[in-house]
Amino acid sequence: MNLILMGPPGVGKGTQAEYIERKYWIPRISTGEMFRAAARFGTELGLQAKQLMDVGQLVPDDITNGIMRCRLAERDCAKGFLLDGFPRTIAQAEALDSILAEWNKSLDAVINIEVPDDILIVRNCGRRTCSQCGANFHTQFNPPLVENQCDICEGELQQRSDDVEETVVKKLAIYAEQTKPLTDFYAQRGLLININGNQKLEDVFRDIVRSLEKSTTKEV
Ligand code: ADP
Ligand code: ADP
Ligand code: ZN
């Protein structure tokens, strides 16, 4: 299956992507994770991306499309993929179309998770990520057993530098302006699946699986 997971910052894409990846055995490709990894390694691209991420801006389309073109060429994508956080602009969606067309591939579905903005602010500001294994927690909604410690590997939990309220508000505005129009772009092609993300994690996942099974004719 070739899937896109979209929705505003903090809606639960990363959380659901982990479940989808395990159920369908397709790699999760997160542009945000790729940029954060590049920033940790201190590459030129990473440092440039970090400056933009920290103020809630998007990384330019040509850079983002370039790294996605390389990533989608890797062998693990042959059986399918789950794109988390890409495309985020119409220009990126058009670039994705041409990359897929080159390999005679197409998208099977675009899962769009929706949650009201006031809840998104709380979700982003309380998000904590394990510094060792990347596992995701929330101070209120999904707290670790021991404060600030990962349940899986006991690593220290960290807050992302872009998860402060001022930056989150900016990211939501950019989402509304530049990314939201993609829902019409994909709805017109009959690919869009809207999912209510304002429910428990497992209920969101159940709805995603049900909708995918209904919408894709391929075996899932
Ligand atoms: P969130 O989990 O808040 O939705 P991501 O981890 O997907 O955020 O992305 C973090 C940041 O990385 C974005 O705010 C943006 O600066 C950059 N980024 C990620 N994906 C893209 C993309 N497709 N195009 C441009 N910038 C991106
Ligand atoms: P995104 O990747 O879309 O930015 P995340 O998956 O990182 O979002 O989720 C943002 C925060 O909200 C995390 O701290 C996560 O634990 C929490 N979260 C995700 N889904 C839910 C949910 N259904 N209910 C409550 N909290 C959630
Ligand atoms: Zn961990």
Side-chain angles (χ1 to χ4, degrees):
M1 273 197 302
N2 299 336
L3 302 176
I4 293 177
L5 191 54
M6 68 174 285
V11 80
K13 299 182 297 297
T15 306
Q16 296 301 324
E18 281 181 31
Y19 292 123
I20 298 171
E21 189 176 33
R22 261 181 264 142
K23 182 167 171 76
Y24 297 113
W25 291 98
I26 50 176
R28 166 199 178 200
I29 301 174
S30 158
T31 34
E33 292 292 336
M34 287 158 88
F35 292 138
R36 280 188 290 278
R40 278 196 300 273
F41 282 119
T43 64
E44 198 184 320
L45 161 79
L47 298 177
Q48 198 185 338
K50 185 169 174 17
Q51 279 190 343
L52 294 162
M53 286 193 282
D54 282 350
V55 291
Q57 303 271 357
L58 295 183
V59 176
D61 287 335
D62 53 347
I63 295 178
T64 309
N65 293 340
I67 67 158
M68 203 43 130
R69 174 176 284 279
C70 293
R71 181 64 187 87
L72 284 169
E74 283 180 37
R75 274 181 64 181
D76 62 340
C77 296
K79 283 201 207 140
F81 51 76
L82 173 67
L83 304 185
D84 165 4
F86 180 91
R88 262 175 153 97
T89 62
I90 296 281
Q92 291 180 14
E94 287 168 347
L96 176 63
D97 278 347
S98 64
I99 296 170
L100 295 180
E102 279 173 35
W103 295 322
N104 290 319
K105 287 187 185 189
S106 56
L107 293 167
D108 294 300
V110 177
I111 303 161
N112 177 44
I113 312 180
E114 300 174 301
V115 163
D117 273 10
D118 52 340
I119 294 171
L120 290 175
I121 293 185
V122 182
R123 282 204 189 168
N124 278 285
C125 295
R127 168 160 53 193
R128 297 291 182 275
T129 314
C130 175
S131 53
Q132 308 277 346
C133 75
N136 216 330
F137 296 88
H138 192 281
T139 50
Q140 285 173 37
F141 307 136
N142 182 20
L145 296 170
V146 178
E147 205 182 328
N148 253 351
Q149 183 181 293
C150 176
D151 291 353
I152 302 162
C153 74
E154 299 191 353
E156 193 195 340
L157 301 188
Q158 287 179 337
Q159 182 172 25
R160 269 167 51 178
S161 47
D162 56 339
D163 278 342
V164 290
E165 187 162 346
E166 191 193 347
T167 311
V168 172
V169 169
K170 249 193 249 165
K171 288 205 294 183
L172 291 175
I174 290 180
Y175 182 85
E177 187 195 316
Q178 303 213 43
T179 311
K180 189 96 204 320
L182 288 176
T183 53
D184 288 338
F185 183 90
Y186 288 120
Q188 278 161 14
R189 300 186 187 182
L191 289 172
L192 194 74
I193 296 173
N194 287 317
I195 298 286
N196 173 16
N198 195 11
Q199 337 175 49
K200 284 190 284 183
L201 308 177
E202 50 276 21
D203 293 342
V204 178
F205 183 58
R206 178 206 56 209
D207 287 358
I208 291 175
V209 171
R210 278 191 193 154
S211 306
L212 279 177
E213 285 174 356
K214 257 195 266 164
S215 79
T216 54
T217 48
K218 288 185 187 172
E219 217 181 307
V220 288

